Amino acid sequence: MSGADLPPKYRTGNVDMTHGGGGRAMAELIEGLFHRHLKNPILDQGHDAAVFDVPPGRLVMSTDAHVISPLFFPGGDIGSLSVHGTLNDIAMAGGRPLSLTAGFILEEGFPLADLERIVISMARAAREAGVPVVSGDTKVVEKGKGDGVFITTAGVGVLPDGVSISPSAARPGQAVLVSGSIGDHGVAILSKRENLEFETEILSDSAALHGLVAEMIAAVPGIAVLRDPTRGGLATALNEIAHASGVGVVLEEDDIPVAPDVDAACELLGLDPLYVANEGKLICICEAADSDLLLKVMRAHPLGARAARIGAVVDDADHMVVMRTGFGGSRVVDWLSGEQLPRIC
Amino acid sequence: MSGADLPPKYRTGNVDMTHGGGGRAMAELIEGLFHRHLKNPILDQGHDAAVFDVPPGRLVMSTDAHVISPLFFPGGDIGSLSVHGTLNDIAMAGGRPLSLTAGFILEEGFPLADLERIVISMARAAREAGVPVVSGDTKVVEKGKGDGVFITTAGVGVLPDGVSISPSAARPGQAVLVSGSIGDHGVAILSKRENLEFETEILSDSAALHGLVAEMIAAVPGIAVLRDPTRGGLATALNEIAHASGVGVVLEEDDIPVAPDVDAACELLGLDPLYVANEGKLICICEAADSDLLLKVMRAHPLGARAARIGAVVDDADHMVVMRTGFGGSRVVDWLSGEQLPRIC
C-alpha cells in the first residue's frame, strides 16, 4: 500500500463513510493521500503518535481549528492556512516551531481531488516553513453534518532562553508596531465569498511568521508582546492586550498601513479594516528605544517590508484603545462585540 | 471577566455565531466556560500558545479528532473520550503524557448547558489522568454545517530512555496479550444510538491507559508493540501490526475475553466483537518469556484486571491474522473493508 499504488478512484471519487471506518479504505486513503504528500521521516514511523528529539528547555504548544469558508481563496486555502495559523501561535510566544499534527474532519461526498489539493498545499506550506506534519487523524461525518473539510492543527516549539513574551507584558511608554498592512486576509475571503471583482485581485496575507520573529528576537530579546491579529483584527487584539496588561493603547490612524485596494474594498463592503482578520501580520510591543532597530529588522524581511510604528502604550485605568484621527480628533476603538465575518479562519 | 462572572445566559442559551467571532462574546465564553473548568497554571497564562518545561529526551506527539455520535453515552461523553483518545495514542508509543490541547468546532444552536457538561467531563478526565489541557481554540459553524460539537485534541509526552515500542516491532515467537474484554465501547454507543435496553447497561470502557502502560514498561522495558484497538477493533489493529511488522498472528478464540452481555448484544446486533471499537483496552506484543510477568502486572492494575494471552506472532509471508476456533478449526480474520460502525469515536 505504498503511495505509488494510489488507486485511480482517488482522483475522481468522493469521501465516503468507509474512509473513516478504521478499515482498509481508511488505510488506503491515509497511505495514498496523506502520507504520500506529507512524507517525512517522523510521519513515516507509522505510529498513531510521532516520536522526535527535543532540546532541553521550555516547550511551546498550541492548537487552531480551521473552518474557513470558502476552502480555496485568493492567496491560499484551508491546507496552507492550517499550517500558518498554528505556526503563528507558536511564534507569537517567541517559540521556534518543531512539529505539527493535523486532525481532518471530512464530510461524506467531498471530492477526493479537492482533498488532495488541500493536502498538497498543506505539505508545501509545511515544507516552506521547515516544520513537518508528524502525525494526523482522519474522521468522516455524514453529508450535512460537516462542511467539506475542517482541519485542526496543533504544534510544539522550543522557547529560546531569556525570551519572555506575553500578552500581559505591555507597559506604558512602550511602542506599538505592526509588521505590515492590515485587512488583506478578511477582504480576500469576503471578496471570494461575495464574488466581487476588483481591478487587482486581493490576496490573503496567510504566511508563517516564525522566521520573521526569530530575526526580531535575535535583535531585541526583550520584546514584550507579540500577537497575530486574526479573528477580530487589530482592534480586538489590541483590546485583549490592553485588558491582559492593564494598560491603554493610543493609535495614530495615519500611521496604520492599509493597502489602497483593501481600503477601497472595505469602504464598499462596509467594513472597518481595524476589525478585519489578518493571517500573516503581527503586532509587536517593545521598549520605545528598541523600536527603530526592530522596524529596521522587520523591514529587511519579506514579511515585514511595510512594518510601521502605529502607536504607544499608555497608562489608562479603563484599559481603552483610542485612535487619534488625521483631523486631530480621537475615537475609542472598542472590542468587536459580535462577529464581523463568520468563518474567516 | 473572571469565571465567577459567567452570565446566566450561559446556563440556558445556545451557541451562536458571535461565539466564534473573535470578539467579546467569544472571550466571555472562553473565560466563563472553558478556562473556568479546565483551570490550570499553564492554561492561565492566557496566551494563544502554552509554555511549559520539558525534560531533555525524546518527545511523543499525537492528535485525534472526535466526532462521536451520540455526544453523551453510557460510560462517557465526547469530552472524556477526547482526553482518553489522545492520551492513549501517546501511551501506545510508550510515552508519559505531559499536556493536551483542545480545538472545539461548535455548531450554531448547540445548547451551552450541554457544552458545559462536556467541558466539565473533559476537565475531570484530564484531572484524573494528571495531564492538563494547556491551550485551546474555539470555532463556530452555521447550523447544518456541523453536528453539535467536534473536539480535536493533541498531546505531547516524553519517552523514557531505552523504550522502543513500534507497530513494526512484532517478531515470530512473541506473545499477543490484551488488557481486558473487547467490544464494550462500540456496543455501548450502538445500544444508545438504537435505544436498546439490556438487563444491565453496557458501559463504554473509555479510559486513559498511560498509568497501566507505565507499570508495564517498568516491569518489561523491552515491550515490542502496544496498540489500542479503537476503530476497526482488535481484528483491524492486529492486521495493521502484521502488515507493519511483516509477520502473521495466530489467535485462540477461546482465550479472547468478551463480556457475556457484550457477546449477547453483538449477537443481537449482528456484530463481530473482533471488529468492535474499544477505548480503554490495549494489545501488547512481547517476548513469550515476558508474558507471565506482564500479565501479572496488568492484572494488578484496575484497567488490566481481565488481561489475557490471546495468541502468538508467527512467520507468515502473507501477513495474515488467523483465529483457531474452539472446535479445532481456523478462519482468517481479515481487515475490515468498509465501516462497521460510523462515528464511533
Side-chain angles (χ1 to χ4, degrees):
Chain A
M1 231 171 347
S2 73
D5 301 338
L6 183 72
K9 66 182 171 187
Y10 286 101
R11 303 298 177 161
T12 55
N14 297 320
V15 170
D16 65 49
M17 295 305 291
T18 69
H19 289 124
R24 196 187 288 275
M26 188 174 95
E28 283 176 1
L29 182 72
I30 289 172
E31 279 299 317
L33 204 153
F34 291 102
H35 281 207
R36 193 158 59 97
H37 294 300
L38 296 167
K39 195 166 182 56
N40 64 71
I42 307 174
L43 184 66
D44 293 350
Q45 291 166 353
H47 294 235
D48 275 345
V51 176
F52 50 95
D53 288 311
V54 61
R58 291 174 298 165
L59 212 64
V60 188
M61 186 172 189
S62 190
T63 192
D64 256 333
H66 299 274
V67 300
I68 193 163
S69 175
L71 296 170
F72 300 95
F73 50 83
D77 56 58
I78 193 171
S80 53
L81 183 71
S82 69
V83 169
H84 297 154
T86 290
L87 291 181
N88 289 349
D89 280 352
I90 292 170
M92 295 309 115
R96 178 172 64 80
L98 290 177
S99 60
L100 291 167
T101 61
F104 288 78
I105 298 175
L106 309 176
E107 185 189 10
E108 184 185 15
F110 187 69
L112 285 162
D114 285 348
L115 180 59
E116 184 166 37
R117 267 179 77 191
I118 289 166
V119 176
I120 289 173
S121 166
M122 179 177 229
R124 186 185 306 122
R127 204 164 46 240
E128 287 173 0
V131 183
V133 176
V134 298
S135 191
D137 187 43
T138 306
K139 295 282 156 57
V140 179
V141 296
E142 302 88 344
K143 202 165 176 60
K145 301 291 186 183
D147 195 16
V149 182
F150 301 141
I151 305 177
T152 302
T153 48
V156 294
V158 284
L159 198 59
D161 278 342
V163 170
S164 176
I165 292 168
S166 159
S168 58
R171 296 292 172 266
Q174 291 176 334
V176 179
L177 317 181
V178 69
S179 64
S181 66
I182 60 166
D184 304 25
H185 177 73
V187 167
I189 301 305
L190 204 61
S191 307
K192 172 85 181 176
R193 228 184 255 170
E194 309 279 322
N195 267 317
L196 299 179
E197 300 263 346
F198 298 105
E199 238 170 86
T200 52
E201 190 179 40
I202 296 172
L203 302 181
S204 164
D205 60 348
S206 181
L209 294 167
H210 59 292
L212 171 62
V213 167
E215 296 191 16
M216 292 168 65
I217 289 175
V220 179
I223 290 171
V225 182
L226 289 174
R227 182 62 178 266
D228 54 338
T230 57
R231 272 182 290 184
L234 185 72
T236 304
L238 287 174
N239 270 285
E240 285 174 10
I241 293 167
H243 176 80
S245 296
V247 297
V249 171
V250 175
L251 296 174
E252 303 294 338
E253 184 172 35
D254 289 347
D255 297 337
I256 299 174
V258 184
D261 49 355
V262 171
D263 206 28
C266 281
E267 191 106 348
L268 190 72
L269 296 162
L271 296 174
D272 182 342
L274 288 177
Y275 292 90
V276 176
N278 310 275
E279 290 291 345
K281 296 298 176 338
L282 62 79
I283 299 165
C284 170
I285 298 182
C286 64
E287 296 303 329
D290 292 328
S291 64
D292 284 344
L293 172 57
L294 271 173
L295 282 174
K296 197 178 144 203
V297 168
M298 291 162 84
R299 288 174 182 158
H301 192 284
L303 295 176
R306 290 200 60 195
R309 176 175 170 142
I310 59 170
V313 181
V314 296
D315 217 346
D316 178 0
D318 296 326
H319 315 154
M320 303 245 273
V321 178
V322 172
M323 187 160 74
R324 286 207 285 240
T325 60
F327 307 103
S330 72
R331 66 174 174 98
V332 173
V333 177
D334 203 358
W335 290 74
L336 182 66
S337 63
E339 171 156 62
Q340 194 182 31
L341 292 174
R343 298 183 60 185
I344 204 72
C345 57
Chain B
M1 232 172 347
S2 75
D5 301 337
L6 184 72
K9 64 182 172 185
Y10 287 100
R11 302 297 176 162
T12 54
N14 296 321
V15 170
D16 64 48
M17 296 304 291
T18 67
H19 290 122
R24 196 187 289 275
M26 188 174 97
E28 282 176 2
L29 182 72
I30 289 173
E31 278 300 316
L33 202 152
F34 291 102
H35 281 208
R36 193 158 60 99
H37 293 300
L38 294 168
K39 196 167 181 56
N40 64 70
I42 305 174
L43 185 65
D44 293 349
Q45 292 165 355
H47 295 235
D48 274 344
V51 176
F52 51 95
D53 288 312
V54 61
R58 290 173 301 164
L59 212 64
V60 189
M61 186 172 189
S62 191
T63 192
D64 257 334
H66 299 273
V67 300
I68 193 163
S69 173
L71 296 169
F72 301 93
F73 51 83
D77 55 58
I78 193 170
S80 53
L81 183 71
S82 69
V83 169
H84 297 153
T86 289
L87 291 180
N88 289 349
D89 280 351
I90 292 170
M92 294 310 115
R96 177 172 64 79
L98 290 176
S99 60
L100 291 168
T101 61
F104 288 78
I105 297 174
L106 309 175
E107 185 190 10
E108 184 186 17
F110 188 70
L112 286 162
D114 285 349
L115 180 60
E116 182 164 39
R117 267 179 78 191
I118 289 167
V119 176
I120 288 172
S121 167
M122 178 175 229
R124 185 187 306 120
R127 202 164 47 240
E128 286 173 2
V131 183
V133 176
V134 298
S135 192
D137 186 43
T138 307
K139 295 281 154 61
V140 179
V141 296
E142 302 87 345
K143 201 164 178 62
K145 301 292 185 182
D147 195 16
V149 181
F150 302 141
I151 305 178
T152 302
T153 47
V156 294
V158 284
L159 197 58
D161 279 341
V163 170
S164 176
I165 292 167
S166 159
S168 58
R171 296 290 173 268
Q174 291 176 335
V176 180
L177 317 179
V178 68
S179 63
S181 64
I182 60 166
D184 304 26
H185 177 73
V187 168
I189 301 305
L190 204 62
S191 307
K192 173 83 181 178
R193 230 184 254 171
E194 309 278 322
N195 266 319
L196 300 177
E197 299 263 345
F198 299 105
E199 239 168 85
T200 53
E201 189 178 42
I202 296 172
L203 301 181
S204 166
D205 59 349
S206 181
L209 294 166
H210 60 290
L212 171 61
V213 167
E215 295 189 17
M216 292 168 66
I217 289 176
V220 179
I223 290 170
V225 182
L226 290 173
R227 183 62 179 264
D228 53 338
T230 56
R231 272 183 289 184
L234 186 71
T236 303
L238 286 174
N239 271 286
E240 285 175 7
I241 293 166
H243 176 80
S245 296
V247 298
V249 171
V250 175
L251 297 174
E252 304 293 339
E253 183 172 36
D254 288 349
D255 297 337
I256 299 174
V258 184
D261 48 355
V262 170
D263 207 26
C266 281
E267 191 106 351
L268 190 72
L269 296 163
L271 296 174
D272 181 342
L274 288 177
Y275 292 91
V276 176
N278 309 276
E279 291 290 344
K281 297 297 174 342
L282 61 81
I283 298 165
C284 169
I285 298 182
C286 64
E287 296 303 328
D290 292 327
S291 65
D292 284 345
L293 172 57
L294 271 173
L295 282 174
K296 196 178 145 204
V297 169
M298 289 161 83
R299 288 173 182 155
H301 192 283
L303 295 176
R306 291 201 58 198
R309 176 175 169 142
I310 59 170
V313 181
V314 297
D315 218 345
D316 178 358
D318 295 327
H319 315 153
M320 304 247 272
V321 179
V322 173
M323 187 161 74
R324 287 206 286 240
T325 61
F327 307 103
S330 72
R331 67 172 174 98
V332 174
V333 177
D334 202 358
W335 290 75
L336 181 66
S337 63
E339 170 156 63
Q340 196 181 30
L341 293 172
R343 298 184 58 186
I344 204 71
C345 57

